[in-house]
Amino acid sequence: MAIALGLVLLLGGFGLIAVDYTPYRIPTASMSPTLQIGDTVLARKGGGAVGRGDVVVFRDELWGGAVMVKRVVAVGGDTVACCDSGNRLTVNGKAVDEPYVDEKQLQGAAFSVEVPAGRLFLMGDNRLGSLDSRTHLDVAGGTVPAADVVARVEATVLPLGRAGMFGRTVAFDAVGGPGTSGRGPLEPAACATVAGAALIVVTSGAGAVAGLVRRVRRRATA
């Protein structure tokens, strides 16, 4: 029964990950230091609800049609601008402290954009090395349709030294209102997969040890 339960957990968790998530390899340093060149991430297909602070995979034909990974900094209805007196990004007039951005690399050239409904304003965490909404301001104010998002990044899986879940950032909490997304089922699915594998291994090992003990006892009483 324990092995059967382990198989259910293992196959169920792995199956959910295989169906809902897809891996992407990071080709550039535009999301550094959050994501490095060569990192492999798992992203939830379709993206689900996308909000401020989410790292997303998208493809926009007006940006050349290439698959890109950027961070959502403003959603439909927001006004995003650069910069306040502290050289910080502002959203709806509220300064945003972004812990994932090097303080020496904040924003740069001034801009102010009202994001239309159903569109997103995206930036790379490497603000000095990212071709993002700021470099496309002449096309729809640099915004892209939310429908262009193909997945939302939820974890780094390779290299193993950088593997881990993406925690929800609190950087945009002060902005308030709609726009913050929830989390997908990746973490519980991964836990179920690991727990199922561990249960199978432990139960199989215990069965092997019990069988060995029984054989030793038979020989001892023979």
Side-chain angles (χ1 to χ4, degrees):
M1 289 181 64
I3 292 178
L5 176 59
L7 283 171
V8 170
L9 291 172
L10 174 63
L11 296 177
F14 183 80
L16 180 60
I17 293 172
V19 170
D20 271 10
Y21 292 85
T22 189
Y24 289 92
R25 191 171 184 273
I26 304 302
T28 73
S30 69
M31 281 297 294
S32 173
T34 306
L35 296 172
Q36 305 287 354
I37 296 175
D39 284 358
T40 298
V41 299
L42 278 183
R44 190 180 185 191
K45 299 173 184 177
V50 173
R52 306 183 195 102
D54 283 340
V55 177
V56 299
V57 181
F58 68 99
R59 186 197 301 270
D60 187 84
E61 293 302 324
L62 295 180
W63 287 25
V67 174
M68 306 182 76
V69 178
K70 304 293 180 188
R71 188 181 297 272
V72 177
V73 298
V75 297
D78 288 342
T79 297
V80 56
C82 175
C83 298
D84 74 346
S85 58
N87 202 32
R88 295 173 299 179
L89 192 73
T90 67
V91 179
N92 299 337
K94 299 289 183 73
V96 180
D97 289 308
E98 299 178 276
Y100 41 79
V101 175
D102 189 323
E103 291 182 359
K104 298 178 182 179
Q105 295 190 2
L106 290 180
Q107 317 345 311
F111 64 84
S112 180
V113 174
E114 293 184 12
V115 183
R119 300 184 73 88
L120 306 170
F121 197 91
L122 303 133
M123 298 174 69
D125 289 356
N126 180 1
R127 298 292 159 84
L128 294 182
S130 174
L131 299 178
D132 49 39
S133 288
R134 297 167 300 167
T135 58
H136 296 85
L137 293 175
D138 57 332
V139 182
T143 64
V144 302
D148 283 354
V149 171
V150 296
R152 184 182 66 206
V153 177
E154 293 192 3
T156 302
V157 292
L158 290 174
L160 294 178
R162 291 176 47 78
M165 299 293 300
F166 269 40
R168 174 186 172 277
T169 181
V170 298
F172 296 86
D173 284 1
V175 178
T180 300
S181 74
R183 295 289 89 188
L186 179 58
E187 188 167 12
C191 289
T193 302
V194 172
L199 187 57
I200 292 170
V201 170
V202 170
T203 303
S204 299
V209 170
L212 178 60
V213 170
R214 286 194 296 269
R215 288 194 296 272
V216 170
R217 286 178 177 174
R218 289 195 197 100
R219 291 173 182 173
T221 56

